[in-house]
Amino acid sequence: MSDLTRSDAPRPSVAARLPGLSALGPLLALILLVALGATLNENFLSAGNITNVLARSAFIGMIAVGMTFVITSGGLDLSVGSMAAFIAGVMILGMNALLPSMGVGLPLVLAGMGIALGVGLLAGLGNGLLVTKARIEPFIVTLGTMGIFRSLVTWLADGGTISLDFGVRQFYRPVYYSGLFGIAWPIIVFAIVAVAGQIAMRHTRFGRYCEAIGSNDKVALYSAVNVERIRLMTYVLLGLLVGLATIMYVPRLGSASGSTGMLWELEAIAAVIIGGTALKGGYGRVWGTVIGVLILSLIDNILILADLVSPYLNGTIQGVIIVLAVVLQRGKSSSA
Amino acid sequence: MERRTFLTTAAIGAATAATGVSVPALAQGKKAVIGVSIPSATHGFMGGLNWHAQETIKRLKTTYPNLEFVLATAGAVGKQVNDIEDMVATRNIDALVVLPFESEPLTSPVKAVKDAGKWVTVVDRGLSQPGIEDLYVAGDNTAFGRVSGEYFKANLKPGAKIVVLRGIPTTLDNERVDAFQAAIAGSGIEILDMQHGNWNRDKAFQVMQDYLSKHKKIDAVWAADDDMAIGVMEAISQAGRQKEMWIVGGAGMKEIIKRVMDKDPQIPVDVSYTPAQISTALEVTALRFVSNTPVYGRFIIGSTLITAENAAQFYFPDSPF
Amino acid sequence: MSAAPERAAAPVLELVDVRKSFGPIEILHGIDFALHAGEVHALIGENGAGKSTIMKILGGFLAPSSGAVRLDGAPAPYASGAQAEASGVVVIHQEFNLAPDLTVTENIWLGREKGGLFLDHRAMRAGTQALLDELGSTIRPEARIRDLPVSDRQMVEIAKALSRQARVLIMDEPSAVLTHREVEVLFRQIERLRAQGVALLYTSHRLEEITRLADRVTVLRDGAVVRKAGRGELTEDGMATAMVGRKLEDIYPPRRHQAGTVALEVRGFSVPPLVKDVSFTLRRGEVLGISGLVGSGRTELAEGLVGLRPATGEILRHGIPVAIGSVRDAAASGIAYLTEDRKERGLLLDKSLTENLTLSTLARFGALFIDGRREEAALSRAIAEFDIRAPRRDMKVGNLSGGNQQKLLLAKTMLGDPEVVIIDEPTRGIDVGTKSQIYAFIDALAAEGRSVIVISSDMPEILGLSDRVLVMRHGRIAGELEGARVTETDVVRLVMGTNEQPTGSASHV
């Protein structure tokens, strides 16, 4: 029998080691979009426009990175958009309330950031506990909390808008609008989150466990993986990232209302799926998610820059591109 | 018609009716129930409308103890239909004040209320079949667009270039935009771009960023809504082009009114389209049950140009909007 | 290589010089294979020899890379499993093709529902009942597949195939999960179908079944036909030799073990609702067999011991009580459980070998970041040590043969270096060559001083491996046999409850 072993020894081929074409589908779509944008408008590749697109992608982007882990482990979170609005509301109210005692300055802004991360953590923990301990379907849990967060922020705002004190806002504003070496802060933070996310997914136990649980949670359970804790952690991580996104979002317009973060959850989920993560879980690709987010932002940007179609049809173009991006991967992977 | 004046009149009339005990249309002891069905506060204008509705109901309840109100807010058409049916079935309302989410689907449910012999007041968006409502109170979308357009025409030279942000694609938005375009017709003003900002600050911010990337020279922006105007302002200040263009929003958000009052060169004027129209509708409907004042008909609350001179009377610091 | 017996009748379905490659790897090398009406043709070979691929090609699920599939002498007119079924070629898969949330009736009529605008539930239910009666099965037509044990699902699969009026019926190890009684029913049905002129392809690792059923035997090895024989031409020993390519000695390890100190003691252990008040001891270097019918609580007991099910009672390791509330606790106490359901609970089928191998012991491969090189090294060791045969290291585990999956699962379990290993059905659905390897591994574990519990429905396996045997019935220990008393008769008596031994003497320690 041992001689058979030798002859059957694994012989990895070079082709097998390269990432398949299907994996590069979203990247290809992104490159095509950039090329399209560049031919349609000469300002497309200007530093200003690129900064705009990247910076506005940052919020959804950070959230989508967190969403990648939730979806990879077989979960879903529909509440992130409302959660962002709620966190923004609480953060602004908190900062306004602390203003008389703390005055405008770094401590106040840090306190605001602390509030945002704290509320995000608690919100994520709430979702996670309902999913893992109460064993309710994530879809239902987060559909519920989506409504709860949304109505809470509307209530906090009295149906209107919660605005950050003008003086504080002036001080806090640079967190969105300025940056380091000409790169805006939201872009820097998003890049850090994305790189850390990619490493966590590929090179840590947490990422590996997320994939295992999403692939088959029974196998994970039988393999001594603390399934509940990992699931809980994905929701907490997502909550924290929503908090982080909110920290970058609030200085942009300095306000929160019932319409803040509307449909962010769907954009984040769409970005994750476009990026090649399986909606049913089991396989996650953080860099793909980043590309997905960029694709979504770019479509919007190009449609406005280019005057290609009636604005009524923007949604159609977006929908077609989203479906195409996914079909592109699917088609290639099944033939491979 | 000027809203504030009308309100004052109505309030005085109502007060007289209450204190003078002048043969109320209602039998003593019996309470009249008024159902109020409005869309929920999903954006600034509706938030303001919700606030005004609640404030007015509070005030009317204190003034007239024999009036009872049932307020329901709906996030979708279907929910609103259900609300109305529930009000009739379980709360036995005597009158319905409704701001239809959409005209078509609400027409027959509201007609059913009317056919059951209830009083019907329709606010802001008309039903698709005329003659159902007893009372119609609405803003004037055509005037809203026209007043804005006239300001652009008067203050820009021929050849000036402007960009427009539209709202959510609806009839209401179309009416405004058509009226705006008609008003600037022949002025030589060129509309460079017209995209949907969905009456949303964030979306307006992004659309404006893209306009600024795309167009080297913009003389003015018709943001058509104060929420969108705020997003637009941020995008402009990010690009450092505040001096280049001015902005006209609309609806009368307090922050914007404040800027007009303070003579902010970026926001020279605003155009009223007040969420307080719901107050008018409620007050007039209440009159029907506490007095004999004849209150049938249509009340169209026109859109007025708000300037630094008259801004004070449109400024409600307590309103969330 | 001997020629198959010549028959006047032309084959119903045949493969002519069929080759099949996946990527650069050719796994079938010019197969000629024919099924004749009214005959049972057995296809045997080790796991990975190419049986499943041949069946998939016959059933229209795979297209050959070259060569021809002929139905009634003409090129087969189907390109999918559904079209093949329409042509009367029906495959009963090893991985059941049943919708778990639908009822038995709904599954049997799936895709061919009776009725016009509205479903004719009554007719379908009656039809299902008739089929099940014919099979002598007591399954309720309203039962959901999810709630049925594996053997019942197999029966439903067979009933479904019968209802398809198959001309050619291809059965992939149908007896693997059936009890003796059920196997008898299955055989009667096969004989009945043969008499009706159906062409049958039968595979099984139980060679005695082949001897009994098959009119012809084709032996595969490494993707090629190595032997064709008619009824009676091959002994079971001859079949095994042809499959493995060498002479097979006794597949069971030769010697009994020297039991050492008590490694595990279980007292008054109950796993609600089935297992009640079980007590036993396990010594170092000992192999303890647990026998009993499916549903007697064997698996539940094991899962209770490793914290997969809530349980009460005492577990002592080396005389010290331990609390086990999860698989992690069990691992910390040096106890590991190897599940009977390797596809659903043991391995991540859509993940690579490495990811599966290290899943339960990932913490050992780096504190913060996983050390990929150490993982690769571990896989290399596992491949060498457990003789795992994978064409590619980065392939999905689901594409490995059952035997190699089982070896990988064993390697994964042993990576945690457990002292007590509970192996549930160690050789279910595994060919005879791999079986003997796995028996040798189990033997080696005991020889190293580890304690092994083997749970099995396979009587020879229990008898051949165990130093001591516990028999479970209705969730309790029905008896314990040791040394010379471990005989088939005694075990079967205890399993069936035909011999009410004074249990006090044997079972309650």
Side-chain angles (χ1 to χ4, degrees), chain A residues 1 5 8 10-11 16 199 203-205 208-209 211-212 215-216 218-219 221-226 282, chain C residues 246 303 308 327-328 344-348 350-351 355 358 360 362 367 369-370 375 387 389 394 412 437:
Chain A
M1 190 127 294
T5 321
D8 267 8
R11 27 187 175 189
I199 291 173
H203 300 290
T204 68
R205 258 175 283 157
R208 183 73 64 83
Y209 287 162
E211 289 200 337
S215 178
N216 185 332
K218 278 209 191 91
V219 173
L221 184 71
Y222 276 67
S223 303
V225 175
N226 196 337
Chain C
R246 60 186 167 80
E303 294 192 344
L308 282 163
V327 182
R328 288 175 304 288
E344 279 302 315
R345 281 149 211 245
L347 296 170
L348 299 169
D350 53 359
K351 294 284 171 197
E355 282 165 89
T358 59
S360 36
L362 209 50
F369 298 113
I370 301 168
E375 280 194 290
D387 187 32
R389 300 179 199 177
D394 58 349
K412 171 185 168 185
Q437 279 185 312

Side-chain angles (χ1 to χ4, degrees), chain B residues 1-6 45 124 136-148 176 251-252 270-277 280 298-306 310 314:
Chain B
M1 144 158 261
E2 218 270 284
R3 183 189 67 88
R4 182 139 263 233
T5 328
F6 172 80
F45 175 79
D124 199 32
Y136 180 63
V137 180
D140 186 343
N141 286 305
T142 304
F144 180 90
R146 192 186 59 238
V147 169
S148 310
R176 291 178 175 185
D270 199 15
V271 179
S272 75
Y273 189 88
T274 176
Q277 55 179 279
T280 311
R298 295 167 66 81
F299 294 78
I300 303 300
I301 304 167
S303 281
T304 315
L305 193 68
I306 305 173
N310 67 356
F314 292 91

Side-chain angles (χ1 to χ4, degrees), chain B residues 285-301:
Chain B
T285 306
L287 281 184
R288 163 74 179 75
F289 291 95
V290 294
S291 76
N292 285 332
T293 322
V295 288
Y296 297 88
R298 295 167 66 81
F299 294 78
I300 303 300
I301 304 167

Side-chain angles (χ1 to χ4, degrees), chain C residues 18 62 77 150 155 300 493:
Chain C
V18 161
L62 280 178
V150 187
M155 274 299 167
E300 288 77 5
R493 275 186 190 150

Side-chain angles (χ1 to χ4, degrees), chain A residues 137 218, chain C residues 96-108 110 141-148 153 156:
Chain A
E137 285 288 322
K218 278 209 191 91
Chain C
F96 302 132
N97 246 347
L98 300 171
D101 290 310
L102 298 188
T103 65
V104 172
T105 304
E106 283 162 346
N107 265 289
I108 283 179
L110 195 60
E142 297 81 18
R144 295 210 179 270
I145 299 297
R146 181 179 293 295
D147 303 329
L148 293 178
R153 294 185 198 183
V156 174

Side-chain angles (χ1 to χ4, degrees), chain A:
Chain A
M1 190 127 294
S2 61
D3 52 346
L4 266 172
T5 321
R6 300 291 168 268
S7 68
D8 267 8
R11 27 187 175 189
S13 63
V14 181
R17 302 249 146 205
L18 291 171
L21 263 180
S22 64
L24 300 177
L27 191 60
L28 207 70
L30 181 67
I31 292 168
L32 283 176
L33 268 179
V34 171
L36 179 73
T39 48
L40 288 173
N41 190 307
E42 74 272 17
N43 291 326
F44 178 75
L45 290 176
S46 68
N49 191 51
I50 289 175
T51 300
N52 283 347
V53 171
L54 289 176
R56 70 172 76 141
S57 306
F59 319 128
I60 303 272
M62 290 179 230
I63 294 172
V65 168
M67 187 72 82
T68 308
F69 287 90
V70 170
I71 290 181
T72 299
S73 64
L76 192 69
D77 193 337
L78 296 173
S79 73
V80 289
S82 311
M83 195 194 286
F86 176 65
I87 295 172
V90 175
M91 180 183 176
I92 293 171
L93 288 178
M95 287 171 84
N96 287 346
L98 289 173
L99 178 62
S101 55
M102 296 178 79
V104 176
L106 191 61
L108 181 67
V109 169
L110 289 179
M113 291 178 172
I115 292 172
L117 292 177
V119 175
L121 184 139
L122 289 177
L125 192 69
N127 278 338
L129 286 175
L130 284 169
V131 169
T132 55
K133 298 293 174 200
R135 293 178 191 280
I136 306 170
E137 285 288 322
F139 185 94
I140 297 301
V141 167
T142 58
L143 188 68
T145 52
M146 171 170 98
I148 293 171
F149 292 138
R150 179 69 65 202
S151 89
L152 281 179
V153 72
T154 309
W155 176 70
L156 286 176
D158 237 346
T161 304
I162 307 174
S163 294
L164 189 58
D165 177 87
F166 186 76
V168 184
R169 173 122 197 278
Q170 287 310 109
F171 183 80
Y172 190 8
R173 214 171 162 271
V175 172
Y176 182 82
Y177 290 98
S178 73
L180 214 55
F181 312 121
I183 304 169
W185 282 117
I187 303 176
I188 295 171
V189 176
F190 177 31
I192 294 171
V193 167
V195 170
Q198 173 67 23
I199 291 173
M201 183 65 88
R202 278 290 149 267
H203 300 290
T204 68
R205 258 175 283 157
F206 175 65
R208 183 73 64 83
Y209 287 162
C210 284
E211 289 200 337
I213 292 168
S215 178
N216 185 332
D217 58 351
K218 278 209 191 91
V219 173
L221 184 71
Y222 276 67
S223 303
V225 175
N226 196 337
V227 174
E228 280 193 3
R229 202 172 87 207
I230 299 292
R231 283 222 163 110
L232 183 62
M233 278 168 67
T234 61
Y235 287 98
V236 171
L237 174 72
L238 178 54
L240 279 172
L241 285 171
V242 174
L244 188 61
T246 311
I247 288 174
M248 310 310 297
Y249 168 82
V250 166
R252 183 164 96 171
L253 295 173
S255 65
S257 71
S259 63
T260 300
M262 201 63 113
L263 297 184
W264 282 10
E265 60 281 347
L266 292 188
E267 278 196 50
I269 294 168
V272 172
I273 305 311
I274 291 172
T277 296
L279 185 54
K280 64 175 173 43
Y283 182 73
R285 194 157 65 190
V286 173
W287 68 262
T289 297
V290 173
I291 288 179
V293 170
L294 295 181
I295 288 177
L296 288 177
S297 291
L298 276 181
I299 297 170
D300 239 4
N301 181 246
I302 290 172
L303 286 174
I304 290 180
L305 285 187
D307 285 328
L308 275 183
V309 292
S310 151
Y312 294 134
L313 288 174
N314 283 3
T316 309
I317 305 285
Q318 284 175 351
V320 167
I321 291 180
I322 291 170
V323 173
L324 270 184
V326 176
V327 167
L328 208 64
Q329 304 175 25
R330 190 74 38 87
K332 291 219 170 105
S333 65
S334 67
S335 68

